[in-house]
Amino acid sequence: MKKHFLPIAILLSIAANSTAQQKPGSQQPSQKEIQEMMKQAQNEMENMSPQDKKTMDSLGIKMPRFNQLSSADEKKLQKVIDEEDRNVPVRDAARINSISKTPLTKGTLAAYLQSAHLKVAQQLFPEARSKGEEIYQLIKKENETSRAMGNAAAAFWMMGRVEIALYIAGKSCTDDPSNTNNLSNYAAMLSMAGAGQISIPLLEYINKKSPGNSTILNNLGQAWFSLGEITKAGKYLDSAIHLFPTHPQANFTKCFIELNKGSKQAAVEAMKKSINGGYTKEKEDILRKQGYKTDGKDVNWTFPRKPDPLGLETFHIPPYPLTVEQCIVAEKEWDAFRAACNDKLAGISRNIVSAREIMIRENDKRTKGYTAFVQQAMKDPSAPPIPDLLPFFADKASLKIKLLTADRDGSYSYQLKRSMQRIREFSDKELPAIRKKYQAAIDSINAKEAAETGEGKRVPDYCPAKQALTNAYLRTANSTLEQLWNDYYDIQRRYLNELTYWNQFVLWKDQFEMQKLGIQSDWLNLIQTPHFESIAAYTCNTKEPAAKMDPLPDFNEINCQYHSELKLYVGTITTDCNRMTSELNLKFVKLGLTEDLSKEKFLDQFVSCSLELNEDAGVDKEIGPLKAEAGLGGGIRLEFDRSGLKDVIVKAEAKAGVGTRVTDEVKKETDIKTSAGGVGISDLGFGDESLEIGVKGEISIISGKGSAESTGILEGVFKK
């Protein structure tokens, strides 16, 4: 991880602001202008408040003098300015010309792989080479299949062990050049690590063997892009997008190609498709810079869920009375119902006190832990990545939550507003007119009754007539009120369930517990208030009807309902609603594989990419690289950016075989069924099931966009 200083960040921010207004191809700032920027940054530092200076000092940050920046710092600044203004790499004619015009054949492939592996290995740290060889021999001893070896290399790649992955991938390909998935993965690694000129012949060879494969087409496009051959790259990427419209990586790179052309709208549309194929905060930020605000409808959420996680539908509100006798019963039932709600509310209030204490304590631990990581990162370039302040899926799920309250047609906020408006229209306008008409009829009978009352007169029984009028009024008034309020409760019920579901992914466990208790409290306060007309004056019956009250149910105990465990040959990646953890297999830990092995820096070396994982694909035959638009058996797609795993897409099994084009992605990815003979997607992550990718499964790497400077750890394999 790189060492970051706040003052440098200020300077780079000023540089970025100065270049933000420049168009592609515009003149870069001169050395004089850079000096002016540094003076501006120095002024910013000198005008910094005492509190800010104290904060910097507490983090161990020394106050620099920008007029004393080293030439290396100035070069770093110039590089940032160049990056800010460039969307695509400069065409590297030397590397492009180094690519042989003679296509690889089955006869020449082995020698090419041997040569490539030797060149690559020379660029790796000695520790990575030796450790890679040790691990390679261990895996080979335990399992001789090239698939297992290739999966191990891909697993090391996704866990951020870039150099070890490159070494093992190269060795596995030289041992068995016939495994096209391993060849594709190795080629993807090569191009993302800065050796696109080596990967292209391999990818073209595979493309002839497996035509129409979106993964190969994308990887070819990305390799040509890394060399600055933008026109050719665009054609391959467009072909991949044609097969899979929301291809996460092809669309991502296409966005920058369109920006380079000056086609802003086309760039936005490409990035929208990319973010639908796999979400990362980086993609959302890019869209924001282009003036587009990402919407919850732009992201694809594929995890199954329970329709009523809180169990709110089990709370049966007492019925509204439609007769005079029912009014007597209703008043008793509602008294009992309110008492039961208040008893449950008292228990919830006690739980809230305890939950709040836990949340405060956990928040304090997170804050202190994060501060410690920041302090260490400021002082030590080899410090591990700073942990996320938010849960794993928080950014993506937050977009879905915004849909709940957005003031537009279809949102819960809009539905609740319309429902309450209808209640008020009836209660404030229609009901008073009905009540007035009823009261007039009762007054007429009362007047008639009073006129006939006197000494010696036989007074008729007018109670039945009054009761009949009252019952008619109650049926009209309360049946409408009950329907209107039940509609309102139904919207609230669905809203609270939705909010609870998404908050599992937005909040930490202790915060979610507080939110859950708060929603339970809100629900009980909402449903215990009656909104009906009650008239018990005309019973006409000396026998009082009996009331009955069912016990109030308990809320469903809800914890995170999503748990996925990817059992890879080299370790395990576990994803819950709000946390992602990775753990190496103990046998590799015993080999001395540690976080800082061979000085590998995940953030410095890793490139955005996607990985397809499938438990059953190609068990009986070689099928080539997995395609992003289809899945067999227990398939998922993982989306990475430069900081690591960012999204998990659950995929449906392909009914017509690998490569089936998805025509209705959302429907297919949520219509989840169990695959025959193994763990199905319907079981993935729910309950105790897991996806095991080892000897039989398959991992395919879908390469992503490299930096505009075409740098990488394998830059040195090409000698100009």
Side-chain angles (χ1 to χ4, degrees):
M1 181 177 180
K2 294 181 180 179
K3 192 171 184 178
H4 298 285
F5 292 101
L6 185 59
I8 293 294
I10 294 173
L11 177 58
L12 299 184
S13 175
I14 294 170
N17 289 336
S18 71
T19 59
Q21 304 301 320
Q22 296 179 350
K23 296 179 181 180
S26 61
Q27 187 177 1
Q28 297 290 346
S30 64
Q31 187 68 24
K32 181 179 179 181
E33 289 171 328
I34 293 176
Q35 293 295 333
E36 289 298 323
M37 292 177 198
M38 290 191 290
K39 289 180 181 179
Q40 185 181 347
Q42 184 63 46
N43 291 335
E44 292 282 350
M45 294 298 299
E46 291 175 353
N47 294 328
M48 185 177 292
S49 68
Q51 181 60 39
D52 288 340
K53 291 180 180 179
K54 183 177 179 181
T55 300
M56 290 177 62
D57 185 63
S58 68
L59 292 173
I61 304 171
K62 302 301 181 182
M63 296 286 286
R65 300 292 299 179
F66 284 105
N67 55 9
Q68 298 175 359
L69 287 179
S70 66
S71 59
D73 288 330
E74 291 187 18
K75 289 180 180 179
K76 182 179 179 181
L77 175 60
Q78 184 63 61
K79 181 179 178 181
V80 170
I81 294 172
D82 291 342
E83 289 181 9
E84 186 71 22
D85 197 49
R86 186 186 304 153
N87 293 311
V88 300
V90 174
R91 188 177 187 275
D92 194 329
R95 289 176 188 270
I96 293 171
N97 292 334
S98 72
I99 300 173
S100 174
K101 303 300 186 293
T102 304
L104 286 174
T105 64
K106 186 176 181 180
T108 60
L109 179 61
Y112 184 86
L113 288 168
Q114 286 281 359
S115 174
H117 178 61
L118 288 175
K119 290 179 181 179
V120 169
Q122 289 174 1
Q123 300 302 312
L124 305 179
F125 282 103
E127 299 95 324
R129 287 200 302 270
S130 61
K131 190 59 63 178
E133 179 64 28
E134 187 177 4
I135 293 171
Y136 177 80
Q137 294 300 332
L138 171 65
I139 299 173
K140 190 173 183 179
K141 182 179 180 181
E142 292 186 348
N143 196 299
E144 295 182 354
T145 67
S146 60
R147 172 171 291 180
M149 190 68 69
N151 285 343
F156 274 118
W157 179 272
M158 77 173 70
M159 298 182 82
R161 308 309 174 89
V162 175
E163 298 196 13
I164 289 178
L166 278 164
Y167 185 88
I168 296 175
K171 287 279 288 188
S172 65
C173 287
T174 56
D175 276 1
D176 182 9
S178 66
N179 189 306
T180 55
N181 188 61
N182 287 356
L183 292 178
S184 175
N185 287 348
Y186 186 43
M189 293 180 192
L190 290 172
S191 65
M192 287 189 285
Q197 73 280 4
I198 298 179
S199 69
I200 287 172
L202 291 173
L203 291 167
E204 289 178 338
Y205 171 80
I206 306 168
N207 192 37
K208 289 182 179 179
K209 292 187 64 178
S210 304
N213 185 303
S214 63
T215 295
I216 298 302
L217 292 170
N218 169 80
N219 292 359
L220 265 168
Q222 303 291 355
W224 282 115
F225 179 87
S226 70
L227 298 179
E229 191 66 84
I230 307 306
T231 301
K232 186 175 289 189
K235 291 179 180 179
Y236 282 113
L237 296 175
D238 285 342
S239 296
I241 293 169
H242 176 74
L243 292 170
F244 182 30
T246 58
H247 196 293
Q249 297 304 330
N251 277 296
F252 184 84
T253 303
K254 182 177 175 63
C255 169
F256 290 90
I257 293 176
E258 295 297 339
L259 285 176
N260 191 61
K261 295 177 183 178
S263 304
K264 179 178 177 180
Q265 187 55 41
V268 168
E269 291 304 314
M271 191 57 71
K272 285 171 63 178
K273 292 177 182 177
S274 177
I275 207 170
N276 183 268
Y279 174 87
T280 69
K281 190 67 168 62
E282 179 186 11
K283 296 177 184 180
E284 185 181 354
D285 291 340
I286 291 170
L287 283 170
R288 184 183 297 111
K289 289 178 181 178
Q290 299 306 317
Y292 181 82
K293 187 175 182 180
T294 305
D295 190 282
K297 293 180 180 179
D298 292 323
V299 298
N300 188 16
W301 195 273
T302 59
F303 304 146
R305 49 180 166 163
K306 295 180 180 179
D308 184 31
L310 286 167
L312 302 183
E313 290 184 359
T314 62
F315 286 78
H316 300 300
I317 300 169
Y320 282 19
L322 303 180
T323 67
V324 171
E325 289 186 350
Q326 288 178 10
C327 284
I328 298 173
V329 175
E331 289 176 0
K332 294 179 179 180
E333 289 179 345
W334 275 88
D335 285 343
F337 183 69
R338 280 195 298 270
C341 287
N342 287 327
D343 284 345
K344 194 169 287 290
L345 279 167
I348 291 174
S349 295
R350 291 191 294 270
N351 291 337
I352 286 177
V353 172
S354 175
R356 183 179 289 110
E357 292 176 353
I358 294 174
M359 186 183 71
I360 292 172
R361 185 167 62 248
E362 291 300 313
N363 278 339
D364 185 58
K365 285 171 59 178
R366 280 189 292 269
T367 300
K368 289 180 178 178
Y370 186 81
T371 301
F373 267 100
V374 172
Q375 291 174 336
Q376 184 65 18
M378 292 295 182
K379 298 175 181 178
D380 181 10
S382 65
I386 298 173
D388 292 330
L389 274 176
L390 298 175
F392 181 68
F393 288 109
D395 290 323
K396 183 179 180 181
S398 293
L399 294 173
K400 292 295 187 181
I401 288 182
K402 290 178 182 178
L403 287 179
L404 305 182
T405 56
D407 189 14
R408 61 177 166 184
D409 289 353
S411 72
Y412 283 108
S413 177
Y414 179 82
Q415 292 180 55
L416 288 169
K417 187 186 297 184
R418 289 294 300 272
S419 180
M420 183 53 67
Q421 182 181 355
R422 181 69 186 98
I423 290 172
R424 287 171 179 164
E425 287 175 354
F426 181 77
S427 300
D428 298 342
K429 297 178 181 178
E430 299 173 33
L431 185 57
I434 299 172
R435 187 185 298 119
K436 183 178 180 180
K437 185 177 180 179
Y438 158 74
Q439 191 60 51
I442 291 292
D443 290 345
S444 176
I445 294 177
N446 286 338
K448 188 176 181 180
E449 183 179 27
E452 295 180 2
T453 300
E455 187 176 350
K457 293 182 179 181
R458 181 178 177 274
V459 182
D461 185 3
Y462 286 100
C463 184
K466 294 178 183 179
Q467 186 185 71
L469 281 171
T470 303
N471 288 347
Y473 168 71
L474 290 171
R475 281 193 297 272
T476 300
N478 286 344
S479 61
T480 303
L481 285 169
E482 185 172 33
Q483 183 61 53
L484 290 174
W485 278 101
N486 281 342
D487 289 345
Y488 184 79
Y489 293 147
D490 181 62
I491 298 170
Q492 281 282 12
R493 181 188 299 113
R494 288 185 285 116
Y495 166 69
L496 294 176
N497 274 321
E498 284 276 320
L499 184 62
T500 299
Y501 174 79
W502 295 117
N503 274 332
Q504 293 179 95
F505 300 92
V506 170
L507 304 174
W508 295 112
K509 184 177 180 180
D510 52 285
Q511 296 169 339
F512 175 70
E513 183 65 23
M514 276 291 293
Q515 180 266 352
K516 179 182 68 177
L517 292 171
I519 282 182
Q520 292 174 354
S521 178
D522 290 344
W523 178 248
L524 291 173
N525 281 315
L526 176 66
I527 64 176
Q528 69 169 293
T529 303
H531 301 281
F532 57 81
E533 297 285 290
S534 181
I535 303 174
Y538 311 113
T539 307
C540 306
N541 191 339
T542 55
K543 185 178 180 181
E544 187 173 299
K548 63 177 182 178
M549 172 63 190
D550 294 328
L552 207 62
D554 292 326
F555 289 100
N556 285 348
E557 185 60 36
I558 177 172
N559 294 302
C560 177
Q561 298 172 19
Y562 169 71
H563 304 278
S564 72
E565 189 175 60
L566 300 178
K567 295 181 179 179
L568 309 168
Y569 187 82
V570 304
T572 301
I573 296 178
T574 303
T575 310
D576 295 306
C577 293
N578 50 29
R579 192 176 298 276
M580 188 279 291
T581 57
S582 61
E583 184 177 14
L584 283 170
N585 189 306
L586 183 60
K587 61 186 173 185
F588 296 110
V589 176
K590 289 181 178 179
L591 288 179
L593 195 60
T594 60
E595 289 296 329
D596 60 353
L597 174 71
S598 72
K599 303 179 182 178
E600 286 190 287
K601 299 296 173 286
F602 185 86
L603 295 180
D604 290 345
Q605 296 185 358
F606 207 73
V607 174
S608 301
C609 66
S610 304
L611 283 98
E612 290 289 326
L613 295 92
N614 197 295
E615 188 172 51
D616 302 322
V619 173
D620 299 323
K621 62 179 181 178
E622 169 66 30
I623 62 172
L626 298 172
K627 304 177 183 181
E629 69 271 23
L632 260 179
I636 65 171
R637 181 167 63 251
L638 304 180
E639 189 73 3
F640 290 79
D641 69 8
R642 291 178 183 274
S643 60
L645 179 62
K646 293 301 175 184
D647 199 7
V648 179
I649 305 295
V650 179
K651 301 183 64 179
E653 58 181 319
K655 302 291 192 304
V658 175
T660 301
R661 183 175 178 180
V662 176
T663 57
D664 186 353
E665 182 185 6
V666 175
K667 181 178 184 299
K668 283 182 178 289
E669 289 191 341
T670 54
D671 181 21
I672 294 168
K673 298 180 180 180
T674 304
S675 60
V679 177
I681 286 294
S682 59
D683 300 318
L684 174 63
F686 301 94
D688 298 323
E689 303 292 354
S690 61
L691 189 67
E692 187 163 355
I693 306 294
V695 177
K696 296 181 179 180
E698 195 97 63
I699 304 175
S700 292
I701 299 176
I702 303 173
S703 59
K705 171 185 174 294
S707 71
E709 286 67 47
S710 297
T711 57
I713 59 174
L714 299 183
E715 198 74 5
V717 299
F718 178 77
K719 303 297 183 182
K720 295 183 180 179

